[in-house]
Amino acid sequence: SQVKERLAFMDEHGVSAQIIYPNLLGFGGQRAANVDPELRLVSMQIYNDAMAEMQEESGGRLCGMSLLPWWD
């Protein structure tokens, strides 16, 4: 992970926190509609877990926007 490097860059530029948006599946995951339902759910769970780990590692300075299973 590049959490330490990102935090150092943020410190250099006076940024205290950052929201991280997912872009592969589109804002809010709307592009996931074309993905197999099981793969879609597992992908979102993995992404959300990774964002939670990143937020914890950063001391709450990096906040990943979660993806919700909006289709169910």
Side-chain angles (χ1 to χ4, degrees):
S1 119
Q2 298 178 347
V3 172
K4 290 179 185 176
E5 292 85 355
R6 185 182 289 239
L7 292 175
F9 181 85
M10 290 167 56
D11 289 340
E12 281 180 40
H13 297 280
V15 177
S16 59
Q18 182 180 37
I19 298 173
I20 301 171
Y21 295 97
N23 57 11
L24 181 62
L25 293 176
F27 188 78
Q30 74 272 17
R31 291 184 58 201
N34 300 325
V35 176
D36 173 77
E38 288 182 36
L39 177 59
R40 178 174 55 200
L41 179 60
V42 169
S43 297
M44 289 189 174
Q45 290 170 332
I46 291 169
Y47 169 83
N48 288 337
D49 288 347
M51 290 297 99
E53 290 171 9
M54 182 183 292
Q55 184 169 340
E56 183 177 353
E57 185 179 344
S58 74
R61 292 183 63 194
L62 300 174
C63 303
M65 186 185 111
S66 63
L67 292 172
L68 301 175
W70 48 264
W71 59 87
D72 186 2

